[in-house]
Amino acid sequence: MNTREQLYSDMDPHHLTPLWEVLHALVPKEPNTPCVPAFWKYSDVRPFLMRAGEAITAEEAVRRVLVMENPALRGQSAVTQSLYAGLQLILPGEVAPSHRHTQSALRFIVEGSGAYTAVDGERATMHAGDFIITPSWTWHDHGHDAAGPVVWLDGLDIPMVRFFDAGFAENDARKSQAVARPEGTSFARYGHNMAPVRSAAPYGATSPIFSYPYERSREALDQLERSAPVDEWDGVKLRYVNPLTGGWPMPTIATFMQKLPAGFAGKGWRQTDGAVYSVVEGSGSVDITRGERTWRFEFGPRDHFVVPSWHTARLSSPGGCVLFSYSDRPVQHALGIHHEERLS
Ligand code: GTQ
């Protein structure tokens, strides 16, 4: 053994290791995520969801969800290094029992309508395309008194909270929480560019609106498509906001909705926040490149895909489409490390 090897092996039992052997990997010249582009076609996923509906009840499962795992991160319940994604199914008459946890959740309604999620005593009825928030540490249960299966995308900061080792959870003694306020109260208080005169933010860093209806978001995108310049990279894209701060609606997760006009052939971009996309309406394609490798996903309604950090993506849509997406951008902004590059 030479001097160095002797040093390494002598100090190894002391849990010491030489930085110079790993420095390049620790501080890479540019982001080098293990996460890969991934695509879930809804027509492939849906039969498994319906089989899950026969295999277990929502109550027994607590949350009957098929987790979308990044193919390069299997076994970690992670769709990117920082984010979780799953598709949750609830059937008529079922209840997913009340619990709370430190992790924040978003629900983006993919199929069906009439189920509800209850947050802190207020129910929000689900319609396809609605974006609903479960703030950190609020009691929440899901139920369904209407007809047909309802499926939504669950986006949570589970890997982030796990990374910080900061997660707590608690089951409620009640199966469903008591309704304390009529549906729509939060939206009336905070959803009209107005706010109560004397009250602090009820959920801290999280938006006091927990349902952002699709109808309103869609209307804004439609009008902007007609009346404002279309961005060459994003089409018409808006971010959801916390009306009390103008910032992100959730402390850990940014959410967006965009419309690609018919005939859109976007320019390429890359960003340090990997993003999960849910196709709401229409169809199109995304080309993702990283070094020599290229992925192309042809998407339609209810399909899901991932654009990982620092992969170049281009969106196209001959017939027009609407996309919802989410990422960990609020955290990267807070740390001052978010970076974006738009190719001409
Ligand atoms: O609805 O509370 O997909 O706690 C994963 C963990 C959903 C939920 C998930 C959860 C939930």
Side-chain angles (χ1 to χ4, degrees), residues 47-108:
F48 296 119
L49 271 169
M50 297 306 140
R51 279 169 62 182
E54 287 166 13
I56 192 164
T57 64
E59 189 168 351
E60 194 189 346
V62 182
R63 299 293 182 261
R64 186 174 48 216
V65 177
L66 301 187
V67 180
M68 291 187 278
E69 290 193 321
N70 192 280
L73 306 172
R74 294 306 307 270
Q76 300 179 41
S77 302
V79 72
T80 66
Q81 294 257 80
S82 59
L83 295 168
Y84 162 102
L87 288 168
Q88 182 159 176
L89 168 69
I90 195 154
L91 295 168
E94 289 191 320
V95 169
S98 179
H99 71 183
R100 62 177 176 175
H101 37 72
T102 317
Q103 292 82 358
S104 298
L106 70 84
R107 328 284 174 185
F108 185 72

Side-chain angles (χ1 to χ4, degrees), residues 117-122 133-135 138-140 177 181 203 210:
T117 186
V119 172
D120 194 37
E122 185 176 331
I133 299 173
T134 308
T138 51
W139 295 112
H140 54 285
Q177 58 185 288
R181 298 188 290 283
Y203 306 111
F210 31 77

Side-chain angles (χ1 to χ4, degrees), residues 71-336:
L73 306 172
R74 294 306 307 270
Q76 300 179 41
S77 302
V79 72
T80 66
Q81 294 257 80
S82 59
L83 295 168
Y84 162 102
L87 288 168
Q88 182 159 176
L89 168 69
I90 195 154
L91 295 168
E94 289 191 320
V95 169
S98 179
H99 71 183
R100 62 177 176 175
H101 37 72
T102 317
Q103 292 82 358
S104 298
L106 70 84
R107 328 284 174 185
F108 185 72
I109 317 312
V110 168
E111 176 184 341
S113 64
Y116 64 83
T117 186
V119 172
D120 194 37
E122 185 176 331
R123 287 184 178 181
T125 301
M126 300 175 166
H127 315 90
D130 293 351
F131 159 51
I132 294 174
I133 299 173
T134 308
S136 176
W137 207 242
T138 51
W139 295 112
H140 54 285
D141 51 88
H142 316 300
H144 189 8
D145 302 324
V150 175
V151 176
W152 65 84
L153 168 67
D154 278 325
L156 287 91
D157 52 14
I158 286 172
M160 249 187 269
V161 174
R162 179 169 60 200
F163 173 79
F164 289 117
D165 287 329
F168 293 89
E170 200 176 359
N171 286 322
D172 202 339
R174 307 155 297 180
K175 196 163 109 175
S176 304
Q177 58 185 288
V179 173
R181 298 188 290 283
E183 173 156 7
T185 304
S186 297
F187 199 79
R189 284 191 177 129
Y190 300 100
H192 300 280
N193 300 319
M194 304 183 89
V197 179
R198 281 179 205 85
S199 88
Y203 306 111
T206 305
S207 172
I209 297 183
F210 31 77
S211 178
Y212 293 73
Y214 182 49
E215 212 183 336
R216 301 275 299 249
S217 314
R218 181 72 157 86
E219 200 178 294
L221 296 176
D222 281 348
Q223 177 160 354
L224 290 173
E225 181 185 351
R226 291 190 301 267
S227 63
V230 171
D231 185 82
E232 291 180 282
W233 292 266
D234 292 335
V236 182
K237 186 170 185 174
L238 295 174
R239 64 181 178 89
Y240 289 87
V241 299
N242 176 340
L244 291 180
T245 63
W248 310 104
M250 303 166 71
T252 47
I253 303 181
T255 49
F256 306 88
M257 188 170 270
Q258 71 196 108
K259 186 159 192 245
L260 307 183
F264 185 78
K267 293 182 171 177
W269 84 94
R270 55 182 179 172
Q271 295 185 336
T272 49
D273 55 330
V276 180
Y277 287 77
S278 181
V279 184
V280 194
E281 292 181 54
S283 60
S285 63
V286 59
D287 289 284
I288 305 173
T289 61
R290 167 85 185 147
E292 302 298 300
R293 288 193 70 185
T294 297
W295 293 256
R296 182 184 178 84
F297 304 135
E298 308 267 357
F299 57 75
R302 301 168 180 167
D303 293 344
H304 292 86
F305 62 89
V306 176
V307 177
S309 165
W310 219 235
H311 284 55
T312 300
R314 270 180 205 82
L315 290 164
S316 304
S317 181
C321 66
V322 179
L323 307 173
F324 171 83
S325 58
Y326 68 97
S327 80
D328 62 12
R329 196 174 306 178
V331 181
Q332 295 202 23
H333 273 187
L335 300 178

